[in-house]
Amino acid sequence: MSFTLPIGAQAPDFSLPATDGRTYALTDFADASLLVVFFTCNHCPYVVGSNAITRETALKYADRGVRFVGINSNSVNTKPDDSFARMVEVMEEERFPWVYLHDESQSIAKAYGALRTPHFYVFDGERKLVYTGRGVDSPRDTSKMTVNDLDRALAEVLSGSGVSVPMTNPIGCNVKWDGQDEHWMPVEACDLV
């Protein structure tokens, strides 16, 4: 079994607290035509560098029923900047057009096989995975971006065609697993094509 969720897999359920004070589960997004679940955080330069593009993509497809859910699974013990309190501050400052959830136990990151921040998962109306990987090809510096894989995948699914490139390597910081140093990464992550 591969470390990250395979194409065609059903979206793993979750029940996680959000920065808006609510707790969300997969069923809370049942009205979404497509659901983008992405693993993100407060501090990673690849996240910070591409947040504006992720925002643009979320807003572009919002009126077509596409919902975005950001999940921070980083260990606060490894990276104190990724605390829930800081998540709340970030959302107050940035007003991102997505729900921002905290996966303190890291069980949801493990269920999805999150490798990096950011790491995107696009699920169709039946919540089957149709795309996973990077958002763009230069997330740290989007002025050098040549392709927006997330935008392309959403456009293709909404047009009724299949996703031409359903899997890409996520580009970003490693997920900060509890009890591991910052540079640790599962061996399986190197096998992701």
Side-chain angles (χ1 to χ4, degrees):
M1 184 171 139
S2 62
F3 181 76
T4 201
L5 206 61
I7 298 299
Q10 202 72 33
D13 200 2
F14 51 78
S15 179
L16 296 171
T19 55
D20 65 6
R22 291 182 51 197
T23 297
Y24 289 85
L26 201 57
T27 52
D28 289 307
F29 307 96
D31 62 335
S33 59
L34 297 177
L35 185 64
V36 178
V37 175
F38 66 107
F39 290 83
T40 184
C41 64
N42 301 327
H43 83 280
C44 171
Y46 296 89
V47 169
V48 174
S50 59
N51 271 337
I53 298 293
T54 305
R55 182 198 298 272
E56 283 176 25
T57 306
L59 292 173
K60 178 178 178 180
Y61 293 102
D63 65 351
R64 299 186 67 184
V66 179
R67 299 280 304 275
F68 277 60
V69 177
I71 300 176
N72 177 9
S73 300
N74 278 356
S75 168
V76 71
N77 297 319
T78 306
K79 206 67 178 168
D81 285 353
D82 284 326
S83 69
F84 185 71
R86 181 66 187 132
M87 288 171 61
V88 172
E89 290 173 5
V90 166
M91 281 301 273
E92 285 174 355
E93 293 162 10
E94 300 289 344
R95 302 283 181 204
F96 289 126
W98 51 76
V99 175
Y100 195 12
L101 307 179
H102 190 215
D103 175 27
E104 185 177 8
S105 73
Q106 302 189 308
S107 62
I108 304 307
K110 289 173 183 168
Y112 279 76
L115 302 172
R116 307 267 182 187
T117 55
H119 188 166
F120 295 86
Y121 297 80
V122 177
F123 296 95
D124 66 13
E126 297 177 350
R127 297 302 175 255
K128 292 193 185 312
L129 186 67
V130 294
Y131 173 78
T132 183
R134 67 192 185 187
V136 299
D137 63 345
S138 182
R140 190 169 184 150
D141 180 1
T142 55
S143 71
K144 297 177 180 171
M145 177 179 87
T146 62
V147 63
N148 185 331
D149 293 279
L150 179 61
D151 181 274
R152 185 194 61 236
L154 293 172
E156 288 173 344
V157 176
L158 289 168
S159 73
S161 65
V163 177
S164 56
V165 183
M167 183 180 275
T168 59
N169 275 318
I171 301 170
C173 301
N174 295 336
V175 172
K176 305 299 184 260
W177 301 106
D178 197 31
Q180 301 289 346
D181 69 48
E182 278 198 53
H183 304 293
W184 180 85
M185 181 174 65
V187 173
E188 295 90 335
C190 302
D191 300 331
L192 182 66
V193 177

